[in-house]
């Protein structure tokens, strides 16, 4: 087999959900964010495992993703759409019982006119300026909207992964100002917001990255392992080069392994000459440029050529790899290739 294997531990995802759930009061519900195919790990399998762990409410970015999650879960669990009620989504929202988080006056009008009585939430902008109604828009329609009984008022924090950032307290105060006294359930915190403490939790939290083992949730159980098969080995002489641009030059005799997996598979080219690959506990330096489908490693010090080397795992997690590549764990996860063979492990698998 010459495609890499991505192992996804569904028990670890379930354990991370339970741990994040236990950080807020029993009266606070913990949802699960499964947008972008559950951060690249497979929305179908992941949503089922989370439902089994006790999650009753799911968030996705767009209605099409909601359809996949509804297919996996069947009727019952609530599926919320962060993009709200977009033109053309009305039938899907109705037929699959999706709950749009309306983020503009236009969307409120569209929703209440096309699907009167169908559940919806409201997304408010508290300073991130990305999605949601601004304070003045909300002031103009709040009375009308509240009369239609939204089931959630939500907003999103811009800097929750930095506990010391004054933006957090500022957004919290704005959220209170926009929603106090409405009597409607409220949600402000994603993973970072859960870690900021109880005053950020309100009635519902919406963790995503923490479920999948990523920062800022430092205590998360690791979820993914990525193993790249060695498809050729060779010995190079001193002075010979490896890879595009001759960026690595052998100082002595070296054994070079060529592995299946490259930037087309979500292994950033910025990892060239930087990351390590692992044969069990033995590190092997990634040498030369990452190319589209292939990566090369120096295995001179190994007793025999391994069948595969691990690039994400116990020794180098998604955030460590992200640091080396100059990105974040979220991007490493959501770029994981469709070419990888996904192997689900754990009792939920
Ligand atoms: C992506 C997202 C989340 C989840 O965020 P994490 O940082 O992955 O926990 C929650 N709420 C909204 C609005 C989002 O866009």
């Amino acid at each position: 087999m010459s495609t890499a294997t991505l192992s996804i531990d569904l028990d670890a995802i379930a354990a991370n959900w339970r741990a994040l759930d236990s950080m807020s009061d029993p009266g606070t519900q913990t949802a699960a964010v499964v947008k972008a195919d559950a951060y690249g790990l497979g929305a179908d399998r992941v949503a089922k495992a989370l439902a089994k762990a006790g999650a009753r409410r799911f968030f996705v970015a767009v209605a099409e993703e909601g359809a996949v999650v509804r297919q996996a879960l069947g009727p019952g669990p609530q599926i919320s759409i962060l993009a709200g009620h977009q033109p053309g989504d009305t039938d899907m929202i109705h037929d699959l019982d999706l709950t749009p988080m309306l983020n503009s006056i236009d969307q409120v009008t569209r929703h209440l006119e096309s699907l009167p009585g169908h559940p919806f939430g409201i997304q408010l902008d508290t300073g991130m300026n990305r999605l949601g109604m601004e304070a003045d828009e909300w002031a103009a329609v709040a009375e009308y909207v509240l009369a239609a009984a939204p089931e959630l008022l939500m907003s999103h924090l811009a800097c929750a992964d930095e506990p010391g950032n004054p933006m957090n307290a500022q957004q919290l105060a704005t959220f209170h100002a926009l929603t106090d006294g409405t009597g409607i359930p409220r949600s402000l915190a994603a993973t970072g917001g859960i870690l900021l403490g109880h005053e950020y939790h309100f009635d519902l939290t919406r963790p995503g990255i923490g479920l999948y083992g990523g920062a800022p949730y430092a205590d998360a159980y690791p979820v993914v392992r990525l193993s790249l098969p060695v498809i050729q080995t060779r010995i190079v002489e001193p002075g010979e080069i490896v890879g595009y641009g001759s960026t690595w030059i052998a100082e002595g005799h070296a054994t070079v392994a060529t592995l299946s997996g490259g930037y087309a598979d979500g292994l950033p080219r910025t990892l060239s000459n930087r990351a390590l690959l692992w044969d069990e506990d033995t590190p092997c330096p990634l040498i030369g440029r990452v190319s589209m489908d292939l990566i090369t490693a120096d295995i001179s010090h190994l007793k025999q050529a391994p069948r595969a080397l691990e690039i994400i795992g116990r020794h180098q997690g998604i955030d460590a790899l992200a640091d080396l590549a100059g990105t974040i764990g979220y991007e490493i996860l959501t770029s994981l290739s469709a070419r990888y063979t996904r192997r689900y492990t754990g009792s939920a698998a």
Side-chain angles (χ1 to χ4, degrees):
M1 194 171 70
S2 60
T3 54
T5 303
L6 178 69
S7 304
I8 299 160
D9 185 344
L10 294 174
D11 285 350
I13 295 176
N16 287 331
W17 183 83
R18 278 190 226 99
L20 288 164
D21 182 45
S22 71
M23 284 179 203
S24 50
D25 294 330
T28 298
Q29 191 187 3
T30 303
V33 178
V34 293
K35 63 191 181 191
D37 198 26
Y39 291 46
L41 302 186
D44 174 285
R45 302 296 295 267
V46 168
K48 280 183 185 152
L50 286 164
K52 208 168 155 196
R56 285 290 162 268
R57 180 164 185 154
F58 297 82
F59 283 82
V60 292
V62 296
E64 286 78 1
E65 294 178 341
V68 172
V69 176
R70 178 61 76 209
Q71 175 83 27
L73 297 180
Q78 192 175 11
I79 300 169
S80 303
I81 311 298
L82 291 166
H85 191 147
Q86 295 288 335
D89 286 351
T90 304
D91 286 347
M92 213 171 353
I93 288 169
H94 173 266
D95 297 349
L96 300 173
D97 189 18
L98 309 177
T99 309
M101 300 290 113
L102 310 179
N103 49 51
S104 67
I105 293 178
D106 274 359
Q107 288 205 3
V108 167
T109 307
R110 178 179 303 126
H111 187 75
L112 295 182
E113 283 181 358
S114 62
L115 296 175
H118 187 98
F120 68 97
I122 293 288
Q123 204 163 173
L124 300 168
D125 179 56
T126 51
M128 187 175 184
N129 287 308
R130 190 181 66 164
L131 271 185
M133 273 188 258
E134 306 257 330
D136 56 343
E137 288 179 280
W138 178 232
V141 297
E143 197 180 336
Y144 168 67
V145 170
L146 291 171
E151 50 85 49
L152 189 72
L153 302 179
M154 63 165 282
S155 188
H156 194 52
L157 298 167
C159 306
D161 57 340
E162 301 168 27
N165 196 309
M167 196 65 193
N168 295 320
Q170 211 172 302
Q171 288 193 264
L172 177 64
T174 304
F175 192 56
H176 273 294
L178 296 179
T179 61
D180 279 357
T182 57
I184 308 291
R186 296 184 281 185
S187 178
L188 180 61
T191 303
I194 295 173
L195 303 172
L196 291 178
H198 285 263
E199 70 268 38
Y200 287 85
H201 295 173
F202 294 90
D203 303 291
L204 179 92
T205 60
R206 315 181 306 268
I209 192 72
L211 305 175
Y212 310 114
Y217 183 29
D219 297 332
Y221 296 100
V223 168
V224 295
R225 284 175 46 202
L226 177 60
S227 172
L228 309 180
V230 173
I231 59 173
Q232 191 176 19
T233 60
R234 77 183 66 250
I235 293 172
V236 295
E237 307 289 328
E240 284 198 278
I241 67 97
V242 171
Y244 283 124
S246 315
T247 62
W248 190 86
I249 301 168
E251 282 169 10
H253 289 275
T255 309
V256 176
T258 302
L259 301 102
S260 178
Y263 61 76
D265 299 298
L267 298 170
R269 200 164 159 278
T270 46
L271 291 174
S272 298
N273 289 303
R274 304 195 69 163
L276 294 172
L277 293 107
W278 297 82
D279 177 34
E280 302 290 343
D281 296 325
T282 309
C284 305
L286 190 166
I287 57 171
R289 292 244 173 98
V290 174
S291 51
M292 187 184 295
D293 315 297
L294 299 166
I295 260 178
T296 34
D298 183 355
I299 59 161
S300 307
H301 51 301
L302 300 184
K303 288 200 186 68
Q304 61 184 60
R307 291 176 55 188
L309 294 174
E310 204 167 79
I311 190 160
I312 300 174
R314 216 153 25 101
H315 295 290
Q316 185 169 260
I318 54 172
D319 291 298
L321 193 69
D323 281 347
L324 292 168
T327 181
I328 55 176
Y330 295 77
E331 192 175 0
I332 295 290
L333 280 180
T334 56
S335 304
L336 292 167
S337 177
R339 278 200 288 204
Y340 300 149
T341 303
R342 282 160 169 70
R343 202 164 60 82
Y344 293 91
T345 65
S347 59

